[in-house]
Amino acid sequence: MSKHNKNHNQPSHSKPDAVRMRLDKWLWAARFYRTRTLAKEAIESGRVHYAGSRVKTSKEIAVGDELSIRQGSATAMTEKTVVVEALTAQRGNATDAQVLYSETEESEERRAYYAEQRKLANLARPDNKPNKKERRDLQRFKHQQD
């Protein structure tokens, strides 16, 4: 065999029709996390669950597996339950990434409900801060109540 044979010793992860692949690599390719390192940290910190339990970074997933993924900050945490539809080792654009998974209906409804609750909670806040006159009026009103 020649050293320059392109098909010689080709790694298995480069095949697009792979049967199984590492969870951290799939999360990166599906654009849930910007880097594989961030995907690894999310898995290790328990924000990614497979079949209802925590997993390791090297967990091999296949088409049809169901994952629960929590993303966001503590105040705006969203949890998605997705079903793996396809596997790829290459990270593509966002439209290509959406083909790799489908979100369950319960997950979509739950996220819409929590988004609505966050929106309603923000309606209680005023649009702007009170000016000096309004602050003085508020202080007078509070002192009259005491």
Side-chain angles (χ1 to χ4, degrees):
M1 281 194 206
S2 169
K3 282 189 196 177
H4 303 290
N5 185 356
K6 292 183 180 179
N7 294 328
H8 177 67
N9 289 336
Q10 189 175 26
S12 62
H13 61 74
S14 65
K15 296 177 185 174
D17 56 347
V19 177
R20 300 183 76 71
M21 74 180 301
R22 287 175 57 107
L23 177 60
D24 62 334
K25 190 177 280 193
W26 184 84
L27 288 170
W28 167 77
R31 301 185 78 87
F32 283 104
Y33 298 98
R34 200 176 323 156
T35 64
R36 280 187 61 192
T37 303
L38 290 174
K40 177 181 178 248
E41 289 171 0
I43 294 167
E44 289 173 348
S45 64
R47 292 192 298 264
V48 179
H49 290 242
Y50 173 83
S53 61
R54 291 178 68 161
V55 292
K56 291 186 177 181
T57 307
S58 60
K59 172 71 178 162
E60 297 273 325
I61 61 168
V63 174
D65 291 345
E66 189 171 298
L67 303 171
S68 177
I69 304 164
R70 284 187 290 154
Q71 290 180 298
S73 63
T75 57
M77 183 71 69
T78 59
E79 184 171 350
K80 290 181 182 179
T81 304
V82 297
V83 176
V84 177
E85 298 291 335
L87 301 175
T88 183
Q90 293 182 337
R91 182 178 169 101
N93 59 24
T95 54
D96 292 342
Q98 289 177 344
V99 176
L100 299 178
Y101 64 91
S102 63
E103 189 173 1
T104 62
E105 288 183 26
E106 300 89 25
S107 175
E108 289 175 355
E109 291 171 3
R110 186 175 352 114
R111 284 192 319 117
Y113 172 75
Y114 286 124
E116 185 68 27
Q117 293 300 314
R118 282 194 302 273
K119 185 184 274 187
L120 291 173
N122 282 335
L123 290 177
R125 295 185 178 143
D127 292 335
N128 54 2
K129 294 190 329 184
N131 60 25
K132 192 171 185 176
K133 181 183 183 312
E134 292 169 341
R135 284 195 306 269
R136 286 179 178 162
D137 290 343
L138 282 170
Q139 286 175 349
R140 276 191 218 112
F141 178 73
K142 286 181 182 179
H143 286 8
Q144 288 175 358
Q145 297 296 322
D146 291 340

